[in-house]
Amino acid sequence: MSGRNKNNEVVVLAHGDGGRLTHELVEKIFLKHFGSQVLKQLGDAAVTEVERGRIAVTTDSFVIDPMFFPGGDIGKLAVCGTINDLAVSGAVPRYLTAGFLIEEGLPMADLERVAASMARTCREAGVEIVAGDTKVVERGHLDKLFINTAGVGLVPAGVDLSYDKIQPGDVVLVNGTMGDHGMSILSAREGFGFGEQLVSDCAALNGIIASLLEEVKGVRLMRDLTRGGLATSTKEIAGAAGRDIWLDEASIPVSEAVRGASEMLGVDPLYLANEGKFMAIVAREEAEKALAVLQKHSLGQNARIIGEVKEGPGNVYLRTALGGTKYLDLLAGAPLPRIC
Ligand code: MG
């Protein structure tokens, strides 16, 4: 049948065979949206100039279900997630790669919507997709679309973040409310009727982090608060640093919508994933300045100081809003598969 119009065009196995249809797909979706000078050369590898210094390299895979969700989509998430891992490491994100693993039958319009979203997110964040790959597998062998990325960033001279720098007395800051991504995905997937208040916080953090590093010299370590949420990340950092961290529940920002949904579902927002939130551990004497820098930025309006570092073997404690103390451990089990 030749009457298949553009609106119901789908990805077929031949789009992944390296032949004519692969070339067409690359031309009309990926080059159209990602067409950087480096990518357009279509070599076997991207070759580009870099300044002398240190590079940061990261890789990630994105399998989120559903692929379109309130506040984002798998493409925006892939770009932001990769950028954020570089940014919290102190790097200025520069180059990304994107590998697309596609299930035969994926509507071409969905693939294009994802590509356009990735391109927009890259433009806004000042990064470039310089290499890519496409594979198509038979129907039923994966679910619609998975994306694998790599990211390369340059670490400016003088930026040196490490667990060893964390000292008793340091303070813990976050740039906003906890649990928005995890709760929005849970809600979208399960069809809970929580309305439109639950929106993923998916965002690229390189801008706000660059401001923080520029204006505050006492930043010890940063971490983006993805799978496992604030509680798990804090526990990992405390363990690696060999210091205790005390969090103050009343200071931890959680939106009304996430709080309400969490209570109803019996989940703890401190263990829910975020995709536009990070934690910074900062020298005490610069805590107020760091807070002001974060709150000045659009992605930090709800920033708070939420805790402090103490002498200890690497435990995490929560001073509860009711005046008790709770021991926080790593997230156990996987209540939410395919969250990112
Ligand atoms: Mg990370």
Side-chain angles (χ1 to χ4, degrees):
M1 267 208 308
S2 60
R4 181 162 255 188
N5 67 32
K6 193 173 187 295
N7 293 334
N8 51 29
E9 202 182 340
V10 299
V11 177
V12 298
L13 284 172
H15 281 118
D17 69 5
R20 188 175 60 81
L21 280 183
T22 304
H23 281 260
E24 265 181 43
L25 181 73
V26 168
E27 281 284 330
K28 73 181 184 193
I29 304 263
F30 298 128
L31 286 183
K32 174 177 162 191
H33 290 284
F34 305 158
S36 74
Q37 285 312 312
V38 183
L39 188 68
K40 275 181 185 154
Q41 292 164 13
L42 292 181
D44 282 317
V47 177
T48 185
E49 300 281 337
V50 290
E51 300 93 84
R52 278 181 68 86
R54 295 166 299 163
I55 65 166
V57 183
T58 187
T59 183
D60 214 334
S61 300
F62 297 86
V63 300
I64 189 162
D65 173 36
M67 59 189 271
F68 299 105
F69 52 85
D73 57 76
I74 191 171
K76 179 182 180 186
L77 184 68
V79 171
C80 292
T82 310
I83 285 175
N84 293 348
D85 275 339
L86 294 170
V88 292
S89 308
V92 176
R94 291 280 292 272
Y95 303 113
L96 303 186
T97 71
F100 294 85
L101 308 171
I102 306 170
E103 182 190 20
E104 170 191 19
L106 178 74
M108 200 61 86
D110 284 354
L111 184 61
E112 177 148 24
R113 191 174 151 197
V114 168
S117 171
M118 292 176 82
R120 189 181 323 117
T121 309
C122 283
R123 265 195 309 277
E124 288 167 4
V127 303
E128 242 180 277
I129 294 174
V130 293
D133 181 54
T134 309
K135 294 288 176 341
V136 182
V137 302
E138 302 93 319
R139 208 177 282 271
H141 288 228
L142 65 76
D143 187 16
K144 300 181 195 75
L145 173 64
F146 295 167
I147 300 175
N148 175 265
T149 61
V152 177
L154 304 180
V155 185
V159 172
D160 187 14
L161 308 171
S162 78
Y163 294 114
D164 319 339
K165 299 232 151 99
I166 298 174
Q167 299 296 322
D170 288 350
V171 301
V172 181
L173 296 100
V174 291
N175 67 311
T177 53
M178 293 293 110
D180 300 85
H181 179 75
M183 190 51 81
S184 75
I185 298 307
L186 184 61
S187 174
R189 194 184 304 163
E190 306 298 335
F192 297 132
F194 293 124
E196 289 89 50
Q197 308 117 300
L198 292 173
V199 177
S200 169
D201 57 335
C202 182
L205 293 167
N206 55 325
I208 188 171
I209 286 175
S211 305
L212 182 67
L213 289 176
E214 201 169 297
E215 298 190 46
V216 176
K217 293 303 157 205
V219 179
R220 317 287 203 198
L221 191 88
M222 293 181 286
R223 177 67 60 85
D224 57 337
L225 304 172
T226 54
R227 278 177 302 180
L230 173 71
T232 301
S233 294
T234 309
K235 177 64 183 167
E236 286 167 358
I237 292 170
R243 308 282 188 196
D244 284 358
I245 297 179
W246 286 71
L247 300 179
D248 178 23
E249 187 173 32
S251 311
I252 299 171
V254 179
S255 77
E256 281 307 313
V258 169
R259 193 180 299 282
S262 294
E263 274 167 22
M264 207 175 303
L265 300 174
V267 300
D268 184 344
L270 304 193
Y271 283 93
L272 287 173
N274 308 276
E275 290 292 347
K277 299 292 156 44
F278 72 107
M279 166 199 279
I281 299 186
V282 175
R284 175 166 295 271
E285 57 275 17
E286 292 198 90
E288 291 301 326
K289 185 173 183 195
L291 183 63
V293 170
L294 294 181
Q295 286 181 339
K296 214 164 52 189
H297 196 280
S298 60
L299 294 177
Q301 283 164 11
N302 295 312
R304 295 284 182 277
I305 292 172
I306 61 161
E308 64 183 328
V309 177
K310 293 192 177 200
E311 208 66 79
N315 293 324
V316 177
Y317 299 97
L318 183 73
R319 274 191 209 95
T320 68
L322 297 172
T325 302
K326 202 161 113 187
Y327 176 83
L328 296 184
D329 208 340
L330 302 174
L331 174 66
L336 275 179
R338 294 183 62 190
I339 193 76
C340 59

